[in-house]
Amino acid sequence: PGVGAIPAPARAGEAARASGVGSGGHREPRPRSTLPAPAAPRAPAPYFAVPPRALRGASWRPGARGDMAGGHRLLLENARQVVLVCARGERFLARDALRSLAVLEGASLVVGSDGYIKAIGPADAIQRQFSEETFEERIDCSGKCILPGLVDAHTHPVWAGERVHEFAMKLAGATYMDIHQAGGGINFTVERTRQSSEEELFSSFQQRLQCMMRAGTTLVECKSGYGLNLETELKMLRVIERARRELDIGISATYCGAHSVPKGKTATEAADDIVNNHLPKLKELGRNGQIHVDNIDVFCEKGVFDLDSTRRILQHGKDIGLQINFHGDELHPMKAAELGAELGARAISHLEEVSDEGIAAMATARCSAVLLPTTAYMLRLKQPRARKMLDEGVIVALGSDFNPNAYCFSMPMVMHLACVNMRMSMPEALAAATINAAYALGKSHTHGSLEVGKQGDFIIINSSRWEHLIYQFGGHHELIEYVIAKG
């Protein structure tokens, strides 16, 4: 494998039902049942050519040589299935567009030397078109499936100090807030993260990102939030920035200094510190190119940051150019969904306790819901109402919520839990872990589907049907043969 490709042992899987080429989002929906009927397979989509903008203005069409002559980075050829997810430039999928995903049977894919997809189409058409051209690498995908790299829309991966002892406490009946109020939970991790060096944090962070990538993740949202003071929050963000620059995996960086109220401060005092000190420093560091931050997060929760403090912090973050992407309505109904819709949030996570009014507001505002099946599972919380959200047109995404309290690297396992515990269909779960998760991070124009002009992030599984990635619970280590980032 080339740069960014991680091989794993392969195992052939049995055939499952084929999905047809689906239709996209942004259309008026029809009423749908709670359990959607399988969509009838459709004919393969036509050959996708390189758009003129990818050739710096040159005119090109299928059959022309022009600027296409010469070398390319990668050819993935003769795949049993290529799961495009989207085929018409959709930025997200919702409602009826989720009934079946865009899938090509017997197809090949070309990645250019810049790491972006140049062509996708029937294997024979690609073979004819590129027969005289060279590739740095070819991968024979006969009998296998190509899917978009998975997108993990919510993680807390930079920290020191494990909390396996707290798992035992939870099994004995302690709640999340019991542990938090006793000085454990976030506070325990904060103390150890403050004590750790930047190099120590980077080393463990890099290992975690490698584990995520081996499970198929090629774009991941990474939060700070275990510092709570400016010095340590900046230390965490520098670690995230270093990984963004040095590693193949894509990263969306989130400032989460309002993850908890620091010891010795009230929520109002903590909000004052964030607004008056943290955010101005982030703005300065962003302007001079030292740290790039994409999103701002607040833990809006009873006993942590109330609605007014949350509003204040999020609005100030938005004012310096950060996307709003925050924790809401997890343990108690806080009307966080309504607040997020009002503020123009890109995404809200958790939502186990979201109101009907909050769901409707999020659907109208096109604010995505990042659901976290691992958290509800490990904390024994009630499941988020995924079916209600999907049926009302909310853009549903998924995340692992990887953190010391929910130790899971695997988006295939997250998708499986979403299907079993939240009653999502497999097409809904895959869209939620690709195009919709990319939308939640403001990156669905470049990530989340296999379309010409998008980044060359893929996974290749050793199975003739893509559904095996979800169906084989815990089997992804043997199923995933390649993970490819940036071509």
Side-chain angles (χ1 to χ4, degrees):
V3 175
I6 300 179
R11 179 180 66 193
E14 66 183 24
R17 181 185 63 81
S19 292
V21 175
S23 57
H26 303 283
R27 297 181 305 160
E28 283 300 313
R30 297 186 302 274
R32 55 172 289 174
S33 62
T34 301
L35 296 176
R42 303 180 187 178
Y47 176 65
F48 294 90
V50 181
R53 62 180 173 80
L55 300 175
R56 296 189 178 93
S59 175
W60 188 85
R61 65 185 186 281
R65 294 259 62 89
D67 289 347
M68 289 301 293
H72 300 278
R73 170 68 196 98
L74 179 66
L75 172 63
L76 305 180
E77 52 188 341
N78 302 316
R80 177 67 179 82
Q81 291 184 322
V82 176
V83 184
L84 309 177
V85 177
C86 301
R88 297 174 175 85
E90 301 92 336
R91 292 292 180 254
F92 60 85
L93 297 180
R95 293 199 189 253
D96 283 358
L98 291 165
R99 294 174 76 89
S100 66
L101 305 179
V103 176
L104 285 178
E105 307 276 351
S108 297
L109 185 152
V110 173
V111 180
S113 57
D114 60 358
Y116 289 84
I117 298 171
K118 289 294 182 282
I120 312 171
D124 56 354
I126 296 291
Q127 171 61 27
R128 287 193 302 270
Q129 193 58 48
F130 293 85
S131 61
E132 299 178 13
E133 297 176 27
T134 60
F135 297 88
E136 294 177 35
E137 185 167 4
R138 293 171 179 252
I139 298 177
D140 182 4
C141 299
S142 299
K144 301 170 185 177
C145 295
I146 304 170
L147 297 90
L150 302 177
V151 181
D152 190 340
H154 184 121
T155 77
H156 303 259
V158 182
W159 46 269
E162 66 172 31
R163 279 156 48 189
V164 66
H165 60 286
E166 292 182 6
F167 184 55
M169 294 168 67
K170 293 189 195 82
L171 296 178
T175 68
Y176 176 89
M177 290 308 291
D178 289 340
I179 294 169
H180 181 79
Q181 290 166 358
I186 292 173
N187 293 323
F188 178 90
T189 305
V190 166
E191 290 179 8
R192 279 146 185 82
T193 303
R194 287 178 175 178
Q195 295 164 2
S196 296
S197 70
E198 209 163 304
E199 193 60 39
E200 288 170 335
L201 290 175
F202 180 79
S203 177
S204 60
F205 179 41
Q206 183 177 24
Q207 291 173 3
R208 292 163 190 158
L209 291 177
Q210 289 170 344
C211 290
M212 292 177 184
M213 199 171 182
R214 289 190 184 100
T217 296
T218 55
L219 172 61
V220 57
E221 184 262 6
C222 300
K223 303 179 190 292
S224 68
Y226 292 121
L228 308 185
N229 59 30
L230 180 57
E231 177 186 359
T232 312
E233 288 295 311
L234 292 179
K235 178 171 67 175
M236 295 180 71
L237 290 171
R238 285 193 299 270
V239 166
I240 294 170
E241 177 66 17
R242 178 180 170 188
R244 189 179 70 83
R245 296 182 183 187
E246 295 183 9
L247 305 182
D248 291 312
I249 194 168
I251 290 175
S252 178
T254 300
Y255 165 75
C256 189
H259 196 193
S260 183
V261 177
K263 290 180 179 179
K265 287 186 177 179
T266 65
T268 300
E269 290 169 342
D272 288 341
D273 186 32
I274 289 168
V275 168
N276 296 328
N277 298 307
H278 293 213
L279 294 180
K281 188 64 175 178
L282 288 185
K283 183 178 179 181
E284 174 193 332
L285 294 174
R287 280 182 170 174
N288 64 29
Q290 292 185 47
I291 293 177
H292 178 83
V293 180
D294 300 284
N295 317 292
I296 185 164
D297 192 352
V298 175
F299 186 17
C300 180
E301 182 54 70
K302 183 178 179 182
V304 191
F305 289 95
D306 63 17
L307 212 59
D308 290 339
S309 295
T310 299
R311 177 195 301 275
R312 184 180 174 213
I313 295 168
L314 293 177
Q315 185 60 60
H316 277 80
K318 184 178 180 180
D319 290 345
I320 66 168
L322 302 180
Q323 296 178 131
I324 296 175
N325 187 330
F326 72 110
H327 293 61
D329 296 323
E330 178 185 359
L331 304 175
H332 299 90
M334 299 288 294
K335 295 190 180 298
E338 292 91 326
L339 174 65
E342 175 193 334
L343 294 178
R346 170 61 66 163
I348 306 172
S349 293
H350 286 289
L351 299 166
E352 287 87 352
E353 298 288 344
V354 67
S355 67
D356 290 348
E357 295 78 11
I359 291 174
M362 290 182 68
T364 300
R366 291 186 174 176
C367 172
S368 54
V370 180
L371 305 184
L372 310 170
T374 53
T375 309
Y377 166 72
M378 292 182 188
L379 294 182
R380 296 171 173 167
L381 303 175
K382 73 177 186 181
Q383 297 290 328
R385 292 185 291 161
R387 285 256 53 91
K388 170 83 170 171
M389 297 180 203
L390 288 162
D391 293 341
E392 294 210 8
V394 175
I395 303 162
V396 172
L398 290 172
S400 69
D401 196 17
F402 173 80
N403 71 80
N405 178 59
Y407 207 104
C408 177
F409 296 117
S410 170
M411 286 302 291
M413 294 181 76
V414 168
M415 289 189 287
H416 182 101
L417 289 172
C419 290
V420 174
N421 290 339
M422 301 196 307
R423 301 185 182 276
M424 293 175 69
S425 70
M426 287 189 285
E428 287 169 342
L430 184 62
T434 53
I435 191 66
N436 287 0
Y439 174 87
L441 304 179
K443 293 184 179 292
S444 60
H445 60 296
T446 53
H447 295 74
S449 64
L450 301 186
E451 298 178 86
V452 168
K454 286 197 169 184
Q455 188 164 295
D457 291 357
F458 320 100
I459 55 178
I460 302 173
I461 65 170
N462 198 5
S463 174
S464 61
R465 311 308 317 173
W466 69 263
E467 291 93 339
H468 276 264
L469 186 64
I470 300 174
Y471 165 63
Q472 294 188 21
F473 187 54
H476 56 274
H477 288 300
E478 295 184 359
L479 189 64
I480 296 174
E481 189 165 0
Y482 288 93
V483 176
I484 300 169
K486 303 172 185 173

